[in-house]
Amino acid sequence: MRLDLLVRNARVRTLDPDRPTAHTLGILHGRVVGLDDEVAGLSARRVLDAGGATVLPGFNDAHCHTAWFGLTLTQLDVSTARTVDEVYAAVAAYAAELAPDAWVIGAGLDHNKLGGHYPHRDALDRAAGGRPVWLKHTSGHACVVNTPVLAAAGALDDGFRDPDGGVVSRDQPGRPDGLLEETAQRLVQRQVLPYPVETVADAVDAATRHYLTEGITSFTEAGIGGGWIGHTPVELGAYQLARDTGRLHTRAQLMAASDVLHPLTAHADDDITLGLDLGLRTGFGDDRLSLGPVKIFLDGSLLGRTAAVTEPFCGCPRHDTNTERPTGYFQGDADAMQDLVVAAHRSGWTVAAHAIGDRAVGLALDAFARARKERPRESVRHRIEHAGVVRPDQLARFAELDVVPVPQHNFLHSFGDAMAAALGPERTAWSYRMKSFTDLGLPVPGSSDRPVAPGAPLPAIQSMVTRLTETGVPYGPDESVPVLAALHAWTEGSALATGFGGRKGRLVPGQLADLTVLDGDPVRTDPDRIGAIRVLATVVGGEPAHDPHGLTRTPARSGPPSPPATEAASPPQENA
């Protein structure tokens, strides 16, 4: 047998408790076929000489927004602004290079970094020279627009009413000030979307190329096709185009936004009443591109204080120009949203319920309990995306219902100070949990919600361990986990959470040959330095997809490989 790829001279962490380390790994037909003695003496078409570097299973981001991230790479970046005046200056400079009728589209807006203030539509009018402006909040749950956009949407007309599940913010005189929250964002999206599939495919190209540089080999796109999260009703087609044309560089699982589901007429015995045409549902596809859960938004965000919480946010009102909503709000009627969750479950879907506040988490758990009672499906594991605030009395229900929590621990460094200010000390200890969930035996995946926050896995793994905010303040330190548990989250944990358990997430024979090569071992690195470890190479399905240092070569002759270097022959030691 001749291998397709031999990885040698490596410190392999397989993340298999029965065989945790190795120094040689063989790959054939896109899968791991053996370790160490099992591949000794075999030749290979190509050899990746790790030079003593650490090899891990490829990272798997179980909740991110890939097309959105790719699009932001070509848009105005206002994430570094620290005052609204800096935002206006950036808009003016960007607009000066555009045609008079072109849109100014920006990303990365965070009012928490602007002294708690949002840009105002009047100032944006002046900065953009009359061009329409659309600045997206980093949370994804709000945006700021200017007068031309509001006028075209009818939001300046007499008698205009806020849409269900959203808010058009108003200033002191009662005029719309440009801030659109939650579902109100559709007022601007209707003027810009849909994007052409080529544009979305190009965004996927740019994003997944970037992912490879961070060791990411798989991801779950958290909402396509509809709502305020989608970019075109044919977004799955855009992903297929990206795959067919070599622009999808990693594995992808796609969540369908619940807005795209519609009534279906099937045999009464099927109990399929809601879904996509032809009965497509969770699980359709293959290891490279597949359809995942249906994404159902229940509430908003902590950053925008629109998450549905039980007790009021600290320091309410959120901003002194709006009607106070001290406990956030749901995205729709609670009973109707629960009915939607149950209907999706009955029709064969896995459900990913976006629930950040504890009130929304409770609604999701109630919906899953009802769904299991009405139509038992023992094999399904529904998810709660973010699970931002989970009260102590809610923890046991996650285990009872076998619900997967999907928190983003990279938020702690990026937004921890602002989240703690909104929640207060008691609820901060309940938010973005990790240890509490793993103690219950639940798989907790690694996920980023990128581009809401920076999405590199290694800094996120560091946050799982250290749980420090940007200013160095501990954030729920009792929820810290050891490094090895954090690595499991970003590999096997994500595989289990996305329905790929046993197929990827470990470097063992039979599993997909996705791996990353690092210049340091996270388990043997000081926790506060894990985020600085560099990715040297990334392999997807046995193919070196990112190898800037030229670690992979084609042997000049066939025959047994050279023995591993002495340094790498000593397997890494556990000290986590």
Side-chain angles (χ1 to χ4, degrees), residues 1-54:
M1 178 174 66
R2 190 182 189 202
L3 301 171
D4 291 330
L5 181 69
L6 179 73
V7 179
R8 69 178 188 184
N9 212 10
R11 296 179 176 273
V12 181
R13 285 197 177 275
T14 66
L15 299 189
D16 176 10
D18 295 329
R19 190 176 186 177
T21 61
H23 55 74
T24 306
L25 182 149
I27 297 169
L28 183 66
H29 303 319
R31 294 184 180 270
V32 177
V33 294
L35 302 166
D36 292 344
D37 293 345
E38 296 166 347
V39 294
L42 295 180
S43 63
R45 291 191 303 109
R46 288 182 293 186
V47 173
L48 191 158
D49 191 323
T54 296

Side-chain angles (χ1 to χ4, degrees), residues 109-296:
L109 181 70
D110 186 353
H111 70 292
N112 295 293
K113 296 179 179 178
L114 305 177
H117 304 294
Y118 285 94
H120 194 280
R121 89 184 219 216
D122 295 339
L124 290 174
D125 290 344
R126 294 190 291 271
R131 298 171 181 83
V133 177
W134 179 20
L135 303 181
K136 305 170 193 176
H137 195 274
T138 190
S139 69
H141 289 262
C143 65
V144 174
V145 298
N146 65 343
T147 301
V149 179
L150 292 169
L156 304 182
D157 297 345
D158 292 339
F160 174 82
R161 299 182 62 181
D162 289 354
D164 290 340
V167 170
V168 176
S169 176
R170 288 167 172 80
D171 58 21
Q172 197 61 48
R175 302 165 59 244
D177 57 22
L179 173 64
L180 306 178
E181 291 181 351
E182 304 299 344
T183 61
Q185 294 180 93
R186 294 173 182 168
L187 297 174
V188 56
Q189 290 174 318
R190 290 173 187 145
Q191 300 177 48
V192 177
L193 304 182
Y195 286 124
V197 291
E198 282 287 351
T199 299
V200 178
D202 282 343
V204 170
D205 181 12
T208 55
R209 284 183 187 276
H210 183 90
Y211 289 179
L212 293 174
T213 69
E214 298 172 342
I216 296 172
T217 56
S218 295
F219 68 90
T220 295
E221 169 74 85
I224 64 167
W228 56 261
I229 204 68
H231 299 96
T232 169
V234 293
E235 203 157 356
L236 176 56
Y239 265 95
Q240 287 183 292
L241 175 64
R243 175 178 176 165
D244 292 346
T245 56
R247 284 179 277 181
L248 177 60
H249 305 287
T250 64
R251 304 184 192 278
Q253 181 187 67
L254 312 178
M255 291 186 191
S258 61
D259 305 67
V260 304
L261 302 188
H262 53 263
L264 295 176
T265 302
H267 193 281
D269 291 346
D270 296 333
D271 205 17
I272 299 174
T273 61
L274 186 74
L276 302 179
D277 290 337
L278 302 178
L280 298 178
R281 59 172 175 83
T282 303
F284 182 80
D286 57 22
D287 290 329
R288 178 64 68 158
L289 179 62
S290 63
L291 189 59
V294 59
K295 172 78 171 291
I296 299 176

Side-chain angles (χ1 to χ4, degrees), residues 7-25 32 34-36 50 52-59 458 461 482-492 504-509 511-526 530 533 568-576:
V7 179
R8 69 178 188 184
N9 212 10
R11 296 179 176 273
V12 181
R13 285 197 177 275
T14 66
L15 299 189
D16 176 10
D18 295 329
R19 190 176 186 177
T21 61
H23 55 74
T24 306
L25 182 149
V32 177
L35 302 166
D36 292 344
T54 296
V55 173
L56 293 173
F59 297 129
L458 286 163
I461 288 167
V483 178
L484 202 56
L487 292 177
H488 274 284
W490 273 90
T491 52
E492 187 176 31
K504 61 184 177 184
R506 295 183 180 184
L507 295 178
V508 297
Q511 292 208 13
L512 295 170
D514 300 344
L515 56 91
T516 186
V517 184
L518 308 178
D519 74 349
D521 182 353
V523 178
R524 305 175 75 188
T525 300
D526 290 339
I530 293 172
I533 294 173
S570 300
Q573 301 299 308
E574 307 292 346
N575 67 350

